[in-house]
Amino acid sequence: MDAFSIRGFAHALGLPLVALSAIRSHDWKRRLVMSQRAALQSATLVIVGAYLLFMASAGYYVRFFGGEWGRALQLALLFAALLVLAGLALSGSMRARLRVQVGKHFFSYRYDYREEWLRFTQTLSSQGGFTGMGRHVVRGLADMVESPSGALWLKDPSGRFFAQAACWNMPASVVTEDADSPLCKFLLESGWVINLEEYRSLPRRYDGLKLPAWVVEVPNAWLVVPLTTGSELIAFVVLATARTRIDVNWEVNDLLKTAARQAGAFLGQMQASEALLEVRKFDSFNRMSAFVVHDLKNIIAQLSLMLKNAERHRDNPEFQKDMLMTVEHSVERMRQLMMQLREGATPLDGPRGIDLVDVLRRIQSAKAGQGREVALTVDERVVARGHEDRIERVIGHLVQNALDATEHGGRVWIRVARQGTHALVEVGDTGHGMSPEFVRERLFKPFQTTKPTGMGIGAYESFQYVHELGGKLSVDSAVDVGTQVALLLPLFDTGHGMKPTETPKESA
């Protein structure tokens, strides 16, 4: 206990030896480096400790000389001291003043660049959409110079003017600045950070720059920081006056300009990403429109054939009945196409069980009404998974292609069977056929076709939809021999419900 009680005296004796070693060893001194954060925290602890010691002495004095009210006055003084200490600790202005004083008197450079860069990058990374990104840019630049507020003016997508895109602790503004105004030209050509306090006192330093009135009217406007990407001014930030007096020297200017370039790169990348997203949306819409136009072409061909036969068979009751059914089917199909164009390419309802034999019989009857015969062979009745209208459109497209490639007198057939866990639909013909190069390189690419009036969309749409379902589409073709398309569709998992019934082999 005696040795422990004299530890302070032992430390005091050892301190001069440590100091002497530090003076003699220059290398050892160079290895001892204190960061600005450690210096700031140490200074804060020293100030708080001195403050508490002073208030404790004052409290002791009040209690000693206060008589009967001494203890009460001591408690009141202690409460007031703690309240003042809490207020000072939470004050942004006091923290800013302390940081400035520590950086000015204890370090060659004001900033710890590693800390500043990590903090600024983290601020930019915590983005929440484009508006959130702009607010983080403003806050990150403001924190570097102890500014309490600011706003960002971003170039409009048209490139004609700058408008306020984000603000932080600053009122929103509807003011715009033309892209070819003197302010924007000066920011782009010089790359300078405009210090409005310096501009008011020494305007000649800015080469006769005339600031717009709205900049001067911004509350407590202090700095105008340009944000560039490449050789383009993408935005600029207006910061409010700092919480404490800061000398905007070369170090502050260089840090702001470098950080602004990084922020400009972030904003430019986000703008490019949003533009790419819009392009993709338009591309998706255009692709969907191409599919719709392709289906409209088929409907027009069907109605044209009906009108062509109307002159000869208009008095035939059977033809009139078929004509009304064709018109009704066409109207319903066009209504579905408009709904698909409005709501998207993917149907709103999920895949369901489809009896392929019923679908194939409808296709066979429709082609028979056009005067073409299609043979149908059913090895096994199967239920596939998908959307009935799209499956019918895919198979109908394959059958129509086979009919277009086959002269009258040639043979076109469909066969349906089960193949493992998939339903197999074969569409074959004895028509013109295709070369292996065309099948391999062009058949399933959009806008590639061998038909004079074709659009090259049907095969691409069929291929995409079958793969979305988890199926497969393969083609075996030879020139002047014919083509055989094998369509594999996943079977529908019926569970305890309807099961695909097997029927003896039938043909038609």
Side-chain angles (χ1 to χ4, degrees):
M1 291 299 295
D2 293 338
F4 184 75
S5 62
I6 65 166
R7 65 188 186 281
F9 180 71
H11 292 164
L13 290 179
L15 184 59
L17 300 178
V18 175
L20 183 61
S21 299
I23 294 173
R24 289 179 176 178
S25 178
H26 299 286
D27 294 336
W28 183 70
K29 280 197 303 181
R30 283 198 293 265
R31 288 196 298 269
L32 285 177
V33 179
M34 180 181 291
S35 68
Q36 288 198 15
R37 176 180 293 182
L40 177 64
Q41 292 176 350
S42 301
T44 303
L45 289 175
V46 170
I47 294 173
V48 170
Y51 174 79
L52 291 177
L53 286 174
F54 173 76
M55 296 309 298
S57 302
Y60 178 78
Y61 178 82
V62 168
R63 182 174 182 180
F64 186 77
F65 293 101
E68 296 180 357
W69 288 89
R71 185 172 180 82
L73 291 174
Q74 184 186 38
L75 292 176
L77 182 63
L78 177 63
F79 175 76
L82 293 177
L83 188 63
V84 171
L85 181 62
L88 293 177
L90 297 176
S91 171
S93 299
M94 291 301 300
R95 292 199 305 271
R97 289 193 182 97
L98 186 58
R99 276 194 292 266
V100 171
Q101 294 300 321
V102 169
K104 181 186 297 184
H105 297 291
F106 290 93
F107 295 92
S108 301
Y109 296 100
R110 179 167 176 246
Y111 293 102
D112 183 346
Y113 292 101
R114 176 179 174 274
E115 292 291 336
E116 291 293 336
W117 216 248
L118 288 175
R119 183 176 64 180
F120 186 63
T121 303
Q122 184 178 5
T123 302
L124 293 182
S125 301
S126 58
Q127 50 184 291
F130 199 86
T131 303
M133 176 64 177
R135 191 179 298 111
H136 292 319
V137 168
V138 175
R139 184 171 184 177
L141 294 175
D143 287 342
M144 291 181 175
V145 290
E146 304 297 343
S147 175
S149 59
L152 171 76
W153 271 259
L154 185 70
K155 181 181 284 188
D156 185 75
S158 65
R160 294 182 292 108
F161 60 89
F162 289 81
Q164 191 184 89
C167 56
W168 177 63
N169 296 336
M170 183 175 281
S173 174
V174 297
V175 177
T176 60
E177 182 69 14
D178 292 339
D180 56 352
S181 67
L183 172 63
C184 295
K185 288 183 178 179
F186 179 84
L187 292 174
L188 177 60
E189 294 171 0
S190 66
W192 288 5
V193 175
I194 301 177
N195 185 345
L196 297 180
E197 294 178 356
E198 183 182 56
Y199 175 82
R200 295 185 187 99
S201 59
L202 296 170
R204 63 179 180 276
R205 289 188 178 180
Y206 293 90
D207 297 330
L209 171 66
K210 292 187 179 300
L211 289 177
W214 68 266
V215 175
V216 181
E217 295 171 359
V218 173
N220 299 323
W222 176 37
L223 299 176
V224 181
V225 185
L227 276 63
T228 58
T229 171
S231 59
E232 179 186 3
L233 179 67
I234 190 173
F236 59 86
V237 173
V238 178
L239 299 178
T241 304
R243 300 181 181 93
T244 184
R245 180 67 184 174
I246 290 181
D247 181 21
V248 185
N249 55 16
W250 62 270
E251 186 181 5
V252 176
N253 276 304
D254 287 349
L255 180 63
L256 284 176
K257 286 192 289 187
T258 306
R261 290 192 189 100
Q262 183 181 3
F266 267 74
L267 290 175
Q269 183 180 6
M270 179 160 286
Q271 278 188 326
S273 299
E274 289 198 345
L276 181 60
L277 181 61
E278 290 184 1
V279 169
R280 287 178 177 174
K281 290 180 179 178
F282 277 107
D283 179 66
S284 177
F285 182 81
N286 292 336
R287 180 181 301 181
M288 184 171 35
S289 301
F291 295 153
V292 171
V293 170
H294 175 267
D295 289 340
L296 286 176
K297 180 181 72 70
N298 294 335
I299 295 174
I300 291 173
Q302 188 176 10
L303 294 176
S304 299
L305 180 63
M306 181 190 69
L307 290 176
K308 185 177 180 181
N309 295 327
E311 291 294 332
R312 291 182 299 169
H313 304 288
R314 59 184 177 182
D315 296 329
N316 187 345
E318 291 295 329
F319 176 80
Q320 294 176 1
K321 182 178 178 181
D322 290 341
M323 182 177 65
L324 290 176
M325 291 178 60
T326 301
V327 172
E328 183 180 2
H329 177 269
S330 299
V331 171
E332 179 61 27
R333 182 66 195 129
M334 285 189 286
R335 186 181 293 113
Q336 292 177 1
L337 290 177
M338 292 301 298
M339 185 180 301
Q340 178 181 342
L341 188 62
R342 184 174 64 251
E343 297 176 351
T346 304
L348 296 178
D349 56 337
R352 59 185 64 183
I354 302 168
D355 191 334
L356 290 178
V357 175
D358 292 343
V359 172
L360 297 178
R361 290 195 184 281
R362 288 199 299 270
I363 295 175
Q364 183 187 37
S365 300
K367 302 308 176 184
Q370 300 175 12
R372 300 301 300 269
E373 181 180 353
V374 178
L376 174 62
T377 301
V378 180
D379 292 349
E380 184 176 354
R381 200 178 187 97
V382 290
V383 177
R385 182 171 60 87
H387 305 87
E388 187 168 355
D389 58 334
R390 296 197 67 178
I391 290 290
E392 184 172 352
R393 191 159 75 245
V394 167
I395 301 176
H397 169 75
L398 298 177
V399 172
Q400 186 60 48
N401 280 353
L403 292 172
D404 292 341
T406 306
E407 303 289 343
H408 285 275
R411 182 167 173 263
V412 176
W413 71 90
I414 310 175
R415 185 173 75 90
V416 60
R418 180 196 294 266
Q419 184 171 312
T421 59
H422 289 76
L424 171 65
V425 178
E426 276 185 2
V427 179
D429 64 74
T430 58
H432 303 304
M434 297 172 288
S435 66
E437 292 78 15
F438 182 86
V439 174
R440 183 176 61 253
E441 300 176 3
R442 297 176 56 191
L443 178 60
F444 296 118
K445 292 184 178 179
F447 310 110
Q448 302 288 336
T449 182
T450 57
K451 296 187 288 187
T453 59
M455 296 183 61
I457 292 295
Y460 174 74
E461 180 188 15
S462 302
F463 183 80
Q464 293 292 326
Y465 176 66
V466 170
H467 275 262
E468 286 177 12
L469 291 177
K472 185 179 179 181
L473 194 152
S474 58
V475 178
D476 182 16
S477 183
V479 178
D480 296 330
V481 175
T483 301
Q484 184 170 305
V485 180
L487 181 64
L488 288 175
L489 297 172
L491 291 174
F492 182 67
D493 185 11
T494 55
H496 299 287
M498 180 185 67
K499 297 182 179 179
T501 56
E502 297 186 6
T503 60
K505 183 176 181 179
E506 55 178 313
S507 60

